[in-house]
Amino acid sequence: AELGPAASSASLALRAGFDDPDVEVRRAAIQAILAMPRAIPDVTAGLFAATKDADSQVRFGAALGLTQL
């Protein structure tokens, strides 16, 4: 199935959340990406960068997301 424009916009907004200074926002962005279909453009680099986050839950979620691509 192909993702529509709304999903693409949502993925961009969530990707921006990976870099938020608030750890709760970063965690929520990772969790939301994990709940979306796998064919999300432009998130691989963000997930990879998030594996170096200071927060262990963000790192874990990002690593999990990378395994699901």
Side-chain angles (χ1 to χ4, degrees), residues 18-39:
F18 292 179
D19 299 322
D20 196 277
D22 185 337
V23 69
E24 294 299 323
V25 173
R26 294 193 311 272
R27 288 177 184 172
I30 293 289
Q31 290 175 352
I33 286 290
L34 292 176
M36 293 179 78
R38 295 180 185 190

Side-chain angles (χ1 to χ4, degrees), residues 38-50:
R38 295 180 185 190
I40 303 169
D42 302 323
V43 297
T44 304
L47 287 172
F48 184 74

